Structures are given as C-alpha cells and as structure tokens.
Amino acid sequence: MNDRKIVLDTLKRYHTTYELIEHEPMYTVEDIEKSGLWQHENGIGAKNLFLRDGSGKHHFLIVIQEDKQADLKFVRDEIGSSRLSFASEERLEKYLKLQTGSVSPLGILNDENREVAVFFDKDLKQYEYLAVHPNDNTATIWMKTDILVQIIKDHGNSFDWISIGS
C-alpha cells in the first residue's frame, strides 16, 4: 500500500473533510511558497524538522509554521533533550519510511514502533487548518489542525505543544 493511500484511508476513518491538491514535486519550503499552495484564509503551511538527539537514540518530529525558524538550542531545552541535529536520510527512511522533501506529521502513520516523539509549535493552535504532505511531495492536504493532532495521538506517538521562539 502506498503512503498516500494510508493517509487517505486514515482520513476517511476520521470522517473528516480535507482538500487534496496535486502538484509537481516540491522539495523545499521556498518551492511551496512560490507556488501559492500555502495560501488559506484559516490556515498555514507546516514546516517539518526531523531531528535526533546527541546519542542518536531518540528521534523527534518538530512541526512549526511556515514562516518560522527553529533555534535548535531553544527546542532542545523545550523538549528536555541533549544536543539536537538533523537526522540523516537513512534515519528518516528507517523511522518514518519517508524521503527527503516528503517529511510530514502524517509520516507518523509509518512509525510502527512509535519511536518518534512529535512536538507542534504552540503558535499553530491559532490556525484551524494546516497544509501538510500526504507523505509524498506531489500533493498537499489542507486538513483541520485538531484532527491531525488527534491522528498522531491515536497512533500512539508521544505528542506535545512547545514554544519554538521566533
């Protein structure tokens, strides 16, 4: 079963409405911003950082709003971790079964062992909708923020809201 089918089947089980927009592959936030895909009156695009701690034993998915930069030292203190760095492509494949450019909070659906802790920027709470990939970078889904959070929690991964800074 492909990644997008897993995502769409999950959304169907939640009886939620969403908007799926197909497009050319988008590899960076800059590509998406140029495309206008993240323009929505009640929503914002989500930028995703897949991180590991200094020992490489703990992995984190940090979800922030599109126009923010994350200070990894600040995030480290917020989540109570050791030094943070970006995880390798191999780790991304191992834990979320995703490729670079396709990172999404919905990648948690591929985390069978629930090893990745998920943290959302508290500022995302103000938006009714988030734009995320359906685990491939050739589409964008606008979905309700609260449903996305519920899917992550129901899947069994740890989840929390944190401050990211500016």
Side-chain angles (χ1 to χ4, degrees):
M1 184 179 305
N2 73 28
D3 285 340
R4 190 182 301 185
K5 181 160 177 26
I6 292 168
V7 167
L8 298 179
D9 287 351
T10 299
L11 294 175
K12 188 175 183 179
R13 282 195 312 274
Y14 279 80
H15 306 288
T16 186
T17 58
Y18 60 89
E19 182 181 1
L20 176 73
I21 304 165
E22 307 250 356
H23 50 72
E24 293 297 315
M26 301 279 174
Y27 294 96
T28 66
V29 170
E30 291 76 26
D31 291 343
I32 296 169
E33 287 173 341
K34 286 178 192 173
S35 74
L37 284 167
W38 279 354
Q39 295 177 359
H40 192 283
E41 70 179 74
N42 296 318
I44 194 164
K47 193 162 47 171
N48 307 279
L49 311 174
F50 186 59
L51 307 173
R52 56 168 275 201
D53 69 359
S55 69
K57 293 180 181 175
H58 302 283
H59 294 82
F60 311 97
L61 183 60
I62 311 297
V63 182
I64 64 177
Q65 64 187 52
E66 65 187 60
D67 57 351
K68 279 192 165 184
Q69 297 297 317
D71 176 334
L72 295 187
K73 289 181 183 177
F74 188 85
V75 171
R76 174 195 68 200
D77 294 342
E78 280 287 298
I79 67 175
S81 177
S82 62
R83 180 183 59 84
L84 293 173
S85 61
F86 287 92
S88 67
E89 290 181 31
E90 293 79 18
R91 288 174 187 268
L92 178 59
E93 171 66 33
K94 176 181 178 182
Y95 290 97
L96 298 180
K97 296 175 182 48
L98 297 175
Q99 305 298 315
T100 302
S102 297
V103 182
S104 166
L106 292 165
I108 290 304
L109 297 172
N110 298 329
D111 182 14
E112 296 166 3
N113 297 322
R114 283 93 175 143
E115 296 179 81
V116 177
V118 181
F119 295 94
F120 273 35
D121 177 2
K122 283 182 183 176
D123 289 344
L124 292 174
K125 286 182 181 183
Q126 68 184 304
Y127 297 99
E128 185 178 4
Y129 293 92
L130 285 182
V132 298
H133 284 309
N135 293 340
D136 75 72
N137 65 357
T138 62
T140 297
I141 291 180
W142 280 101
M143 63 182 296
K144 289 195 170 197
T145 303
D146 60 341
I147 298 294
L148 178 56
V149 169
Q150 194 61 52
I151 288 169
I152 294 166
K153 289 178 176 180
D154 289 350
H155 188 262
N157 291 76
S158 68
F159 174 88
D160 206 353
W161 295 94
I162 61 171
S163 293
I164 296 296
S166 57

